[in-house]
Amino acid sequence: KKPSIISEPIYQSFVLRPIDSDGQPSAKMPSLNDEKGRLRRRKNPATANATFLLIAAALIAAVLPPYSRRPYGVAAFSTVRLASPALLTRRPPPRRASSIMAGGGFGGAPSPAGKKKKGGKKKSVSPAADNTKVRTVSGFSGSGTKPLRIAANTFDRIYQKHGKECAADLYVRSPANDADLGREPTYWFVGKVVADPDAGPPPPSVRAAVLAQKRLVLEYAQRELRPQNLGGKYANGLQIWTAPGDSELDVVQNKVPLTRVEGSTADLLAEENFDVRDVGFNPEIYVGDEIRDGGLRVTRDEEGKPTRPVFEINEGQ
C-alpha cells in the first residue's frame, strides 16, 4: 500500500526538530523530498532483496572451495569412479583431490636404501626404492597423498581406454582381526588396480600391478579406509586378494572365488620392461554410514573360496 501524500505544513508538525548545541530547536528541517524517497525505498523491497542476494552469492563463492576432479586432496585420498555398475557397490561422485588426499598420517617408515656409504660408494637401489618399479610411500606425514593421486589418475586413463578387462578388484584381509573377533575370514573391498595391455612387451600382469603398489594399497586400507579392522594391532600380516575386474556383485553372490597375491617388490626385478607408470590403483572411498559401519566385505574360507551357496539378487527389490 502506497503511503499517503501529506502536505508540507502537516509533515512539519509531526516531525521533531533537531536540537542545536544551545539546546534550542534547529531551524534546519529534513527535506520532504528526502522523506518521500525513504518511504518509497521501504515500500519497494526489490533493491534490498537484490543487494542481499549479491552479498549471499559472494559469501558462498568465498566459502566453498573450487571444484576439482579428484578427492584423496584420498578423500582426503579420491577419484572419478569409473568402476563397476554393481548394485552393491556405492560409487561417490567426483571429489576434490584435497578431500581424498588428506591423509595426514598416511605413510610409513622411510627406506634407508639408496643412501651413500662412507667413502662415497652408493648402496645398490632396492626395488622398493626404485621409482620406476614401485609407488613408494615414505615416513613423512601425508606422504601417501601424491602417489595415490598419481595412481588414481593412471587408473582412470587406462580404464577409460581398455575397460574392466585390464582391471582387478582388490580385497584385504587381516587374520589377526578375524581371530580377535572369532569370525570367518573376512575380506574387505579396498579398490581396483589396472595394468596397461599396451605396455611392454610383455604387458604388465595384474600380480605385478599389485606388487608395485602393495605398500600404497595396504597403507591406504589400514590408515584411511578401515583402521578399525585393518589398522593398529590388526595391521600385521595383512593379505591382498584379487577378483576379476568389476565383479563385486558376483563376489557377493558367491559366484567368484578370491585369489591371494603373494610375493614382494623384489619379484619385479625379473620384469625388466615393467614400469609403474603402466599400472594404476583406484581406492575405495566410504561415504555416509559406511565410514562408521564399513563398506563392502565378504566371507570366504582360508583359500578364498565361498563357504555358502550361490544366490541371486532380485533387482526389483
Side-chain angles (χ1 to χ4, degrees), residues 236-287:
N236 292 330
L238 290 178
Q239 304 169 355
I240 298 181
W241 297 70
T242 64
D246 295 355
S247 64
E248 295 97 320
L249 187 58
D250 289 337
V251 170
V252 169
Q253 294 177 275
N254 299 322
K255 296 179 178 180
V256 177
L258 304 180
T259 303
R260 184 176 178 182
V261 177
E262 299 185 273
S264 67
T265 54
D267 299 335
L268 297 175
L269 290 177
E271 303 190 25
E272 296 181 358
N273 293 329
F274 176 80
D275 194 315
V276 72
R277 292 173 295 183
D278 298 325
V279 298
F281 169 55
N282 188 30
E284 171 71 335
I285 303 170
Y286 289 164
V287 295

Side-chain angles (χ1 to χ4, degrees), residues 89-317:
T89 303
R90 302 177 186 175
R91 293 299 178 206
R95 301 169 69 185
R96 298 185 309 279
S98 58
S99 66
I100 191 172
M101 303 297 172
F106 185 67
S111 171
K115 291 185 179 180
K116 289 185 177 181
K117 293 181 179 180
K118 292 182 179 179
K121 292 184 178 181
K122 189 175 181 180
K123 290 183 179 180
S124 59
V125 177
S126 71
D130 187 350
N131 291 332
T132 66
K133 300 283 187 181
V134 180
R135 285 206 166 89
T136 58
V137 179
S138 71
F140 300 101
S141 177
S143 62
T145 298
K146 183 177 179 180
L148 185 62
R149 183 174 65 248
I150 295 173
N153 286 333
T154 304
F155 177 95
D156 290 345
R157 173 177 59 81
I158 298 174
Y159 189 94
Q160 287 176 7
K161 184 176 181 180
H162 299 287
K164 67 179 182 180
E165 300 303 323
C166 67
D169 294 352
L170 296 184
Y171 295 80
V172 171
R173 181 201 169 198
S174 170
N177 183 243
D178 293 336
D180 194 21
L181 297 179
R183 66 182 181 188
E184 292 182 272
T186 300
Y187 301 78
W188 296 82
F189 177 74
V190 299
K192 300 170 181 286
V193 294
V194 289
D196 191 348
D198 292 339
S205 63
V206 168
R207 177 175 178 269
V210 174
L211 293 180
Q213 304 173 102
K214 181 178 180 180
R215 175 75 179 278
L216 181 65
V217 171
L218 293 180
E219 288 284 322
Y220 173 71
Q222 65 178 290
R223 296 179 184 274
E224 299 293 332
L225 186 65
R226 195 60 184 171
Q228 302 96 316
N229 298 92
L230 304 175
K233 64 180 181 179
Y234 302 132
N236 292 330
L238 290 178
Q239 304 169 355
I240 298 181
W241 297 70
T242 64
D246 295 355
S247 64
E248 295 97 320
L249 187 58
D250 289 337
V251 170
V252 169
Q253 294 177 275
N254 299 322
K255 296 179 178 180
V256 177
L258 304 180
T259 303
R260 184 176 178 182
V261 177
E262 299 185 273
S264 67
T265 54
D267 299 335
L268 297 175
L269 290 177
E271 303 190 25
E272 296 181 358
N273 293 329
F274 176 80
D275 194 315
V276 72
R277 292 173 295 183
D278 298 325
V279 298
F281 169 55
N282 188 30
E284 171 71 335
I285 303 170
Y286 289 164
V287 295
D289 293 340
E290 292 177 330
I291 298 174
R292 180 189 67 248
D293 302 331
L296 176 61
R297 68 269 198 187
V298 295
T299 57
R300 293 288 191 272
D301 63 15
E302 295 285 345
E303 297 179 351
K305 298 178 181 179
T307 58
R308 293 175 176 80
V310 174
F311 68 94
E312 298 297 332
I313 295 177
N314 186 354
E315 296 186 4
Q317 292 181 349

Side-chain angles (χ1 to χ4, degrees), residues 6-15 17 29 32:
I6 55 180
S7 62
E8 181 75 21
I10 298 178
Y11 168 75
Q12 291 184 2
S13 65
F14 281 90
V15 176
R17 293 175 179 270
M29 291 294 298
L32 178 60

